[in-house]
């Protein structure tokens, strides 16, 4: 097993912080250990789409853009990104897929698709699996809280669909506090990094 694919909504050099930076550190570390690593990420501008090399890592950028008001829905299933990512994953034929933040552009449906291609791991960097906004403390998130954030764009099926899409994927979180939030909201976490 030496072909690894990392999927993340964000990745340097376009984005320098957050989960994208963690994905880059992981990719570069794996390359340094002799693995063949391909990163699939999103770009906002159509002219940026394509393949680049970044710090020794092969990065495939897929263009996606949509109005933010649809995020509650597109974050669950972004069909155009799913079709493009499926083509890339089938061509790359990785031995392992590691998914980082995908709640904005790739959508959680990429977890379901990925597990059909190779063993898949998902690292949750935030509570977007169970909420479409930041969570300040561990608790069961109410419909009222979801509505107060999303308002007219609210997707009442969002979290139920996400749980179905990720149920056969190994899930890790970046903290015990995040693990607690996810598990209080019915997402099984396998490990904490």
């Amino acid at each position: 097993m030496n072909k690894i694919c990392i999927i993340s909504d964000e990745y340097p050099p376009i984005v320098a912080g957050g989960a994208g930076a963690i994905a880059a550190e992981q990719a570069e570390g794996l390359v340094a250990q002799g693995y063949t690593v391909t990163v699939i990420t999103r770009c906002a501008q159509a002219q940026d789409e394509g393949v680049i090399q970044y710090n020794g890592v092969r990065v495939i950028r897929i263009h996606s853009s949509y109005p933010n008001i649809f995020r509650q829905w597109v974050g669950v299933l972004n069909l155009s990104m799913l079709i493009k990512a499926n083509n890339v994953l089938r061509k790359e034929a990785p031995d392992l897929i590691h998914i980082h933040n995908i709640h904005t552009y790739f959508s959680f449906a990429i977890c379901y698709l990925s597990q059909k291609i190779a063993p898949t791991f998902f690292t949750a960097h935030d509570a977007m699996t169970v909420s479409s906004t930041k969570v300040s403390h561990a608790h069961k998130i109410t419909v009222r809280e979801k509505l107060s954030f999303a308002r007219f764009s609210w997707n009442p099926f969002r979290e139920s669909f996400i749980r179905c899409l990720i149920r056969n994927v190994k899930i890790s979180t970046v903290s015990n506090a995040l693990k607690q939030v996810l598990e209080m909201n019915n997402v099984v976490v396998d490990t904490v990094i």
Side-chain angles (χ1 to χ4, degrees):
M1 179 185 322
N2 70 349
K3 289 177 69 175
I4 299 172
C5 183
I6 296 172
I7 300 173
S8 180
D9 272 346
E10 300 175 335
Y11 195 84
I14 294 175
V15 175
I22 300 299
E25 287 179 22
Q26 179 191 30
E28 292 166 20
L30 289 167
V31 166
Q33 292 180 25
Y35 292 95
T36 302
V37 179
T38 301
V39 172
I40 304 173
T41 190
R42 174 261 183 185
C43 61
Q45 305 299 321
Q47 66 266 20
D48 292 333
E49 192 170 52
V51 181
I52 65 165
Q53 287 287 331
Y54 182 77
N55 290 347
V57 179
R58 186 166 171 261
V59 180
I60 300 171
R61 297 191 292 199
I62 300 172
H63 173 253
S64 178
S65 185
Y66 64 89
N68 198 37
I69 194 165
F70 299 118
R71 184 174 173 191
Q72 291 272 320
W73 299 86
V74 177
V76 177
L77 173 64
N78 185 340
L79 194 55
S80 67
M81 283 293 277
L82 209 57
I83 291 167
K84 292 175 185 179
N86 181 51
N87 292 337
V88 171
L89 286 169
R90 300 267 178 213
K91 184 178 176 185
E92 295 296 316
D95 298 314
L96 181 88
I97 300 170
H98 189 158
I99 298 172
H100 288 274
N101 276 10
I102 39 84
H103 53 76
T104 305
Y105 295 100
F106 277 98
S107 76
F108 283 98
I110 194 73
C111 291
Y112 181 81
L113 170 73
S114 295
Q115 65 169 326
K116 305 288 183 194
I117 296 168
T120 301
F121 298 86
F122 168 61
T123 298
H125 293 261
D126 54 37
M128 294 298 181
T129 311
V130 297
S131 172
S132 56
T133 187
K134 298 205 182 280
V135 176
S136 61
H137 63 282
H139 67 287
K140 179 82 171 153
I141 301 163
T142 66
V143 170
R144 184 176 180 166
E145 287 176 275
K146 294 172 188 177
L147 268 171
S148 70
F149 173 75
R151 300 180 191 231
F152 297 113
S153 65
W154 185 51
N155 177 351
F157 311 106
R158 182 182 183 276
E159 288 79 23
S160 297
F161 286 159
I162 290 170
R163 280 192 298 274
C164 289
L165 293 168
I166 65 173
R167 75 172 164 236
N168 294 320
V169 174
K170 295 291 184 192
I171 300 172
S172 62
T173 61
V174 296
S175 71
N176 285 316
L178 181 55
K179 178 181 191 264
Q180 188 178 15
V181 169
L182 296 187
E183 289 186 338
M184 289 177 94
N185 290 278
N186 304 318
V187 172
V188 176
V189 175
D190 297 292
T191 189
V192 176
I193 298 174

